[in-house]
Amino acid sequence: MENKRRSMVGHVTRNKGDKSVTVVIETPIPHPLYKKIVRRRTKVRAHDEANSCRVGDIVRIEESRPFSKTKHWVVRDIITKGEGEEIKIS
């Protein structure tokens, strides 16, 4: 049976909570009128069971059962390790 859960790739911007990380997913879409590529950013909270994610890591997250009021994703694997610097998203 194949896996029907959505998975996305994003980078970790916050790891202050216990077993929790905040991941920003950037989706390039064309502007409806001007056709310029615009980056749409979505922030989601994900469950990190091993507390192994650091700020700046590129991770793959997968949809899962709700872990809390805001956590509905789980970290599947770390694609690349970051430098640990803070990333400011405005």
Side-chain angles (χ1 to χ4, degrees):
M1 187 167 158
E2 64 185 65
N3 188 359
K4 296 191 188 259
R5 293 183 179 177
R6 288 190 302 167
S7 67
M8 297 187 195
V9 175
H11 60 270
V12 177
T13 57
R14 189 170 186 273
N15 65 346
K16 301 290 184 191
D18 185 33
K19 298 184 180 180
S20 297
V21 293
T22 300
V23 179
V24 170
I25 299 147
E26 287 189 354
T27 309
I29 59 164
H31 188 276
L33 177 62
Y34 301 115
K35 307 305 181 209
K36 180 181 176 181
I37 299 298
V38 182
R39 290 183 309 222
R40 174 139 317 148
R41 291 187 179 114
T42 305
K43 284 181 14 175
V44 296
R45 307 236 322 141
H47 184 71
D48 179 23
E49 184 64 36
N51 275 333
S52 58
C53 292
R54 300 286 174 245
V55 174
D57 291 354
I58 306 293
V59 295
R60 175 171 287 111
I61 60 175
E62 187 177 88
E63 208 172 26
S64 70
R65 67 177 179 84
F67 284 95
S68 70
K69 181 180 175 182
T70 57
K71 277 200 306 190
H72 301 231
W73 296 84
V74 63
V75 175
R76 279 295 156 218
D77 57 342
I78 299 172
I79 297 171
T80 58
K81 286 295 218 179
E83 298 299 319
E85 69 270 356
E86 289 288 327
I87 299 172
K88 298 294 182 192
I89 301 297
S90 54

